[in-house]
Amino acid sequence: EPEVTQTPSHQVTQMGQEVILRCVPISNHLYFYWYRQILGQKVEFLVSFYNNEISEKSEIFDDQFSVERPDGSNFTLKIRSTKLEDSAMYFCASSGNMETGGNYGYTFGSGTRLTVV
Amino acid sequence: KQEVTQIPAALSVPEGENLVLNCSFTDSAIYNLQWFRQDPGKGLTSLLLIQSSQREQTSGRLNASLDKSSGRSTLYIAASQPGDSATYLCAFLGSGTYKYIFGTGTRLKVLA
């Protein structure tokens, strides 16, 4: 079964440093997403990306965050200057397929645990 | 603002019991609803997806139903097993949006 792959599985960074979280969505999916889950809290939407642009973003997704699809397979989330409160599990997801174009259920990756110290 | 609530927050049952997990949402303009399983420190595994035009979906021992008029979905787990122990999350996707709204989850423990 196709998978969404995220790397690294765990990243530790110092406050103020830039981090890039990487994701390889399912190859024929059209829609890409980032979510995060702070320990013990709900899974929260960050951003959705379609047709090479952001289609929707949350209040959390401020100027410190950016997303990019640098080639045909990768989808990245960059945090420019990390803060302690950015420590969380970050999930990438993708949905839809080229044949139907529909926004159906998501397939999530296994997550990157980001620890800011 | 869309709210998704899951009841109960935690549940501990002996092996073999049939379980019902509840999810309620405030916005009736639903596109679909998805149930996920999350093991501690791990990612999200999709269990069942119900489109707004459907009333239920089944996969093995799992059955999910959707009642749009009352704003509720239930996940029924038959003959529970210790391997079912995990947190179960429901996520609501409204019409005209790309983002799922997640509930806080039900933490299930099935005792051998």
Side-chain angles (χ1 to χ4, degrees):
Chain A
E1 190 169 328
E3 289 184 343
V4 173
T5 306
Q6 289 188 244
T7 55
S9 57
H10 190 189
Q11 181 153 1
V12 181
T13 189
Q14 290 205 325
M15 193 167 51
Q17 295 295 305
E18 175 184 286
V19 294
I20 298 177
L21 308 182
R22 302 180 191 278
C23 170
V24 179
I26 292 174
S27 60
N28 63 348
H29 278 182
L30 295 174
Y31 302 83
F32 314 111
Y33 315 87
W34 285 100
Y35 284 71
R36 79 172 185 189
Q37 186 179 32
I38 295 171
L39 188 63
Q41 297 187 23
K42 282 186 183 186
V43 177
E44 301 174 290
F45 171 80
L46 292 178
V47 66
S48 61
F49 192 84
Y50 170 70
N51 202 25
N52 283 319
E53 61 183 23
I54 291 173
S55 47
E56 195 169 356
K57 61 181 181 179
S58 71
E59 314 79 56
I60 304 167
F61 194 88
D62 61 21
D63 292 343
Q64 291 297 317
F65 292 89
S66 62
V67 289
E68 192 178 30
R69 187 154 163 83
D71 52 43
S73 60
N74 291 283
F75 180 52
T76 61
L77 174 69
K78 182 192 291 186
I79 309 175
R80 285 191 186 77
S81 177
T82 50
K83 303 187 277 282
L84 294 176
E85 53 265 37
D86 293 327
S87 295
M89 182 78 98
Y90 287 81
F91 293 108
C92 173
S94 66
S95 70
N97 64 69
M98 287 181 174
E99 283 106 45
T100 65
N103 185 4
Y104 297 115
Y106 287 17
T107 301
F108 277 85
S110 54
T112 293
R113 182 170 298 285
L114 177 65
T115 303
V116 182
V117 297
Chain B
K1 183 182 174 184
Q2 175 65 252
E3 295 285 340
V4 178
T5 305
Q6 290 188 246
I7 295 173
L11 188 60
S12 184
V13 299
E15 183 176 7
E17 278 206 6
N18 300 323
L19 309 170
V20 176
L21 308 182
N22 296 293
C23 173
S24 61
F25 47 91
T26 53
D27 186 353
S28 60
I30 181 172
Y31 188 83
N32 66 45
L33 187 140
Q34 198 163 359
W35 283 92
F36 294 90
R37 170 185 172 138
Q38 185 176 32
D39 292 286
K42 302 293 184 182
L44 303 170
T45 301
S46 177
L47 298 173
L48 289 165
L49 168 70
I50 310 178
Q51 300 289 355
S52 63
S53 58
Q54 298 172 325
R55 294 188 66 85
E56 65 178 309
Q57 283 286 334
T58 298
S59 175
R61 293 183 294 108
L62 304 179
N63 175 276
S65 66
L66 175 65
D67 184 342
K68 290 186 292 184
S69 61
S70 65
R72 293 181 63 175
S73 177
T74 59
L75 179 67
Y76 176 82
I77 303 175
S80 57
Q81 302 170 357
D84 295 331
S85 298
T87 296
Y88 291 81
L89 302 171
C90 71
F92 172 98
L93 183 65
S95 299
T97 180
Y98 296 94
K99 65 181 182 186
Y100 273 101
I101 306 296
F102 279 80
T104 47
T106 293
R107 194 169 60 254
L108 173 65
K109 187 167 186 179
V110 181
L111 306 169

